[in-house]
Amino acid sequence: MSIFEAILLTVITASTPLVIAALGELVAERSGVLNLGVEGMMIMGAVAAFAGAQMSGSPYVGIVCGIAAGALFSLLFAFLTLTLVANQVATGLALTLLGLGASGMLGEAYVSVPGIRLGEIVIPGLSDLPVIGHVLFRQDLIFYLSIALVVGVSWFLFRSRAGLKLRAIGDSHGSAHALGIQVIRTRYLAVMFGGACAGLAGAQLSLVYTPQWAENMSAGRGWITLALVVFASWRPWRVLAGGYLFGAVTILQLHAQAFGLGIPSQFLSMLPYAATIVVLIIISHNRRTTLINTPASLGKAFVPER
Amino acid sequence: MRIELEKRPDVSKLYAFVSPLLALVLTLVFGAIMFAMLGKDPAEALDAFFVEPLLEVWSLHELAIKAAPLILIAVGLAVCYRSNNWNIGAEGQFTIGAITGSYLPIVFYDWHSPLVLPLMLILGALGGALFAAIPALLKAHFNTNEILTSLMLVYIAQLFLDWLIRGAWRDPKGFNFPVSRDFAPEAVLPAIWEESGRAHWAFIFAIIAAIGVWFMLRYTLKGFEIVVLGQSERAGRFAGFSSKKMIWFSFLFSGALAGLAGIAEVSGSIGHLQPAISPGYGFTAIIVAFLGRLNPLGIIASGLVLALTYLGGEAAQLSLGVSDKVTRVFQGLLLFFVLSCDTLIYYKIRIVWARLRGGAA
């Protein structure tokens, strides 16, 4: 395997969780719900996946545990913001704070326990192709899932009837309600899908990216995910592109440290966060295009008239 | 079963007062359940967590030490949140304030003067304000989401501190440990009442800031502007208020208070710079602000409550052997319950049990 292939592989591993979590958040935001709790749901997914894999001995059970943990945890958010119409920004923050604390507590027994790495799945025929065979067709299940999710979410949102309804709710919950669409129920499902995706992204962190458990191991990725959704202007394929761009920046930073460019490592570590800010500036600069793309009822509470 | 909300014609004054207390009680109940599940006696655990730290004088001093940064930061955040500006990066502004404030006692170590301490505090507040100016500038001029930018800056601030402490500002006599020199005595924030404990002037600053902001919000035009712009930007514009200027004001103000909290913490409690200077004060202050109902006087009370969770966490770790992460869980739960109980202020809640229609089951 050449150096080039090795770098591509690490970029993919770093990008996959960003893509998955951002897709989930994208669906939630398309339905009009701004869930700032991605970081919390992701870290809960990571600890649950690690614990599940340890107890069962199978990383696949771990994946299921991660998804379930993310989805269940997002229910807390959904109940508060959708049923009790609490402020979405504050509730999302609460979810993150609670997730970081609870995962630290639940994961305490697993610190420095050797993890179980999710194995690669070789696709016969394709995996023998030069370069891309190694890079794309000898990957783990979660990578394949991430690509399937991009296709699936894109199809769902823009080609299916349910997706049309979901977007309608995100753009005008009042009108959608008047048309008889179940606003609250759809939003519950969208938030839980977002939670499941964040949980899966967390599972990738503790089963693939670094197969172990460490406190706060999500390291702000959940927040970068939120920026990614804005960057992608709420479109699934752009999430894929943006996720890989961010993943590349993260890896670039690691390689630059290894080459010893004379730049202090701390400044290189700032790169993903700085890049997020720069990207946000570029995207938000044009007020008109952001307004067109943003779901119009994003972050607004809906209380049906009775 | 279904939960239905019915909007109250008026905001319930009763629940506005009761809801944070209800949230506290619910948190305690859930805390007790959590301890029971961890295999600890809930009564004993809650006692160790929330009562014992209040029984000794030195411990009360520690409470004031931990409450001071929380109150200082939360009071600034309340101004932000009331005006609908979401500054989530107080942790970063705290860190930068600690760094800029430490410039004098670390770089000009040999300069001994009574001016050192006041200058440090001013530099700290300036540093925090300047760091908060970044998300303010980006929001005001590029329409950038301030939640994300202020948060990203937290990670950048922490890495910057790490670089300083391992590089230029490392103590040459520190055996290669990542700490700065110890501050000289005239650079240390004095204790309020030295005979009984360590509590220092940061607590006094916090109380002054809270009362000052309370006065501003209640009696001045600026306070009116904050509230009006926060409730409706359009209404504010008709009144001749500028939401752009409010972005600047609220961010600079909250940044300055967070920066002051940072330098006060380093100078008063720690005595030098080190890679970890805050157990998440900047994030916990968000909970303090909401539990205090974004009211500066309420924030004094809620700051003390959250300080107690830190103190109780430390105590419970020693006496019960539970993880110090319990503190974070308590804090997260508390914010959840605060937000859910707030629903009672604006809505009547009715639980509707599913009815069977026409006898068909």
Side-chain angles (χ1 to χ4, degrees):
Chain A
M1 193 164 52
S2 68
I3 290 242
F4 179 63
E5 283 171 306
I7 292 181
L8 275 183
L9 275 178
T10 50
V11 169
I12 288 178
T13 314
S15 310
T16 304
L18 298 176
V19 172
I20 295 175
L23 277 173
E25 177 67 14
L26 183 146
V27 171
E29 290 193 15
R30 277 278 185 178
S31 82
V33 185
L34 179 66
N35 184 354
L36 295 184
V38 181
E39 180 88 1
M41 301 188 296
M42 199 189 255
I43 195 83
M44 287 301 272
V47 74
F50 192 89
Q54 288 294 325
M55 282 190 250
S56 67
S58 157
Y60 292 98
V61 175
I63 292 178
V64 174
C65 292
I67 294 175
L72 281 177
F73 200 52
S74 74
L75 257 185
L76 268 179
F77 174 85
F79 178 70
L80 248 72
T81 57
L82 301 177
T83 301
L84 297 182
V85 290
N87 180 314
Q88 293 183 6
V89 172
T91 310
L93 286 169
L95 199 69
T96 290
L97 293 175
L98 184 63
L100 289 173
S103 65
M105 204 172 88
L106 296 170
E108 205 156 55
Y110 296 114
V111 176
S112 73
V113 169
I116 300 172
R117 197 179 199 287
L118 185 62
E120 56 190 30
I121 298 172
V122 176
I123 299 183
L126 294 174
S127 59
D128 296 328
L129 294 170
V131 188
I132 60 163
H134 258 296
V135 175
L136 293 182
F137 300 110
R138 284 170 186 270
Q139 283 285 355
D140 56 87
L141 175 71
I142 300 183
F143 166 76
Y144 296 128
L145 276 178
S146 75
I147 303 298
L149 274 170
V150 175
V151 179
V153 166
S154 179
W155 177 85
F156 169 79
L157 281 178
F158 300 108
R159 292 276 179 275
S160 79
R161 212 178 149 72
L164 181 71
K165 284 184 182 170
L166 182 128
R167 284 188 293 136
I169 292 169
D171 277 327
S172 170
H173 48 214
S175 318
H177 178 67
L179 286 172
I181 303 175
Q182 294 275 5
V183 176
I184 303 285
R185 185 184 299 168
T186 311
R187 284 191 171 165
Y188 257 95
L189 291 173
V191 167
M192 282 180 75
F193 178 76
C197 285
L200 178 62
Q204 199 268 5
L205 292 179
S206 65
L207 297 176
V208 179
Y209 193 75
T210 42
Q212 56 176 322
W213 165 254
E215 210 187 320
N216 294 341
M217 68 182 292
S218 50
R221 283 189 187 82
W223 296 107
I224 290 180
T225 291
L226 286 155
L228 198 53
V229 178
V230 182
F231 172 73
S233 51
W234 293 269
R235 283 167 196 281
W237 285 97
R238 292 191 202 170
V239 161
L240 185 69
Y244 276 78
L245 193 72
F246 276 83
V249 171
T250 315
I251 294 307
L252 193 79
Q253 166 257 120
L254 288 176
H255 283 283
Q257 287 186 21
F259 281 123
L261 294 175
I263 304 170
S265 68
Q266 290 92 344
F267 284 91
L268 292 168
S269 302
M270 287 178 196
L271 268 180
Y273 309 111
T276 307
I277 295 177
V278 171
V279 160
L280 278 172
I281 297 171
I282 296 170
I283 299 300
S284 324
H285 188 44
N286 193 334
R287 236 170 239 260
R288 208 180 305 152
T289 53
T290 31
L291 271 183
I292 289 172
N293 288 317
T294 316
S297 11
L298 184 60
K300 294 188 184 127
F302 173 70
V303 187
E305 297 284 327
R306 282 182 225 279
Chain B
M1 190 196 101
R2 195 167 77 234
I3 297 175
E4 277 186 6
L5 302 184
E6 189 186 327
K7 199 153 183 102
R8 291 178 192 274
D10 294 304
V11 171
S12 163
K13 287 239 170 69
L14 173 70
Y15 274 114
F17 180 73
V18 169
S19 97
L21 300 179
L22 191 60
L24 272 177
V25 172
L26 284 170
T27 308
L28 289 181
V29 170
F30 265 73
I33 296 172
M34 183 172 76
F35 281 126
M37 288 194 322
L38 289 171
K40 313 280 172 195
D41 178 13
E44 189 193 338
L46 289 182
D47 181 62
F49 219 96
F50 293 105
V51 181
E52 268 167 39
L54 295 175
L55 298 182
E56 280 181 78
V57 177
W58 69 267
S59 187
L60 290 174
H61 275 262
E62 297 300 309
L63 191 71
I65 287 176
K66 293 202 157 59
L70 292 175
I71 296 171
L72 266 174
I73 300 169
V75 163
L77 292 183
V79 169
C80 268
Y81 297 167
R82 281 225 172 170
S83 66
N84 215 5
N85 287 299
W86 292 91
N87 178 7
I88 308 296
E91 183 83 3
Q93 293 139 24
F94 179 95
T95 306
I96 295 295
I99 293 172
T100 51
S102 303
Y103 179 72
L104 284 181
I106 292 176
V107 178
F108 294 96
Y109 186 72
D110 295 322
W111 187 45
H112 301 282
S113 153
L115 276 177
V116 171
L117 194 60
L119 280 176
M120 279 166 62
L121 297 175
I122 291 169
L123 277 176
L126 271 179
L130 276 177
F131 205 58
I134 302 172
L137 174 83
L138 297 183
K139 184 180 182 187
H141 290 275
F142 299 101
N143 193 28
T144 309
N145 182 318
E146 76 275 23
I147 298 175
L148 295 173
T149 50
S150 61
L151 223 138
M152 291 296 126
L153 287 168
V154 173
Y155 294 96
I156 291 179
Q158 285 169 345
L159 286 163
F160 185 69
L161 171 65
D162 195 71
W163 170 73
L164 268 182
I165 292 304
R166 288 172 206 277
W169 284 13
R170 182 160 58 190
D171 183 359
K173 298 189 199 86
F175 303 103
N176 253 350
F177 278 112
V179 288
S180 77
R181 299 170 187 269
D182 281 334
F183 290 3
E186 67 274 356
V188 171
L189 206 56
I192 304 170
W193 191 25
E194 213 165 335
E195 291 75 35
S196 60
R198 298 198 309 144
H200 50 80
W201 272 74
F203 191 69
I204 309 266
F205 298 155
I207 301 298
I208 293 173
I211 292 172
V213 171
W214 175 78
F215 185 82
M216 175 177 80
L217 285 173
R218 198 169 167 128
Y219 292 110
T220 66
L221 183 62
K222 194 83 204 163
F224 181 65
E225 192 182 334
I226 291 167
V227 175
V228 170
L229 277 172
Q231 279 171 356
S232 160
E233 201 193 318
R234 252 169 78 84
R237 265 210 311 275
F238 288 130
F241 299 144
S242 154
S243 57
K244 238 181 211 182
K245 279 188 191 152
M246 183 51 69
I247 296 173
W248 281 103
F249 174 80
S250 62
F251 267 88
L252 291 180
F253 186 78
S254 62
L257 285 186
L260 179 65
I263 184 58
E265 175 73 9
V266 168
S267 154
S269 310
I270 306 175
H272 55 246
L273 270 186
Q274 59 192 32
I277 51 172
S278 155
Y281 284 138
F283 295 113
T284 308
I286 298 171
I287 306 177
V288 172
F290 278 101
L291 180 62
R293 310 218 44 71
L294 302 183
N295 173 339
L297 299 186
I299 285 172
I300 296 180
S302 64
L304 288 167
V305 170
L306 267 294
L308 184 59
T309 62
Y310 276 120
L311 217 54
E314 286 170 13
Q317 201 183 351
L318 291 176
S319 63
L320 302 170
V322 295
S323 153
D324 60 329
K325 276 49 165 218
V326 173
T327 304
R328 284 247 153 251
V329 176
F330 261 118
Q331 294 175 348
L333 276 180
L334 187 55
L335 183 50
F336 256 102
F337 284 122
V338 170
L339 292 167
S340 6
C341 291
D342 274 6
T343 307
L344 291 168
I345 301 172
Y346 301 101
Y347 300 93
K348 280 184 191 144
I349 295 184
R350 232 196 345 252
I351 295 177
V352 182
W353 302 96
R355 276 164 290 186
L356 293 176
R357 283 204 198 94

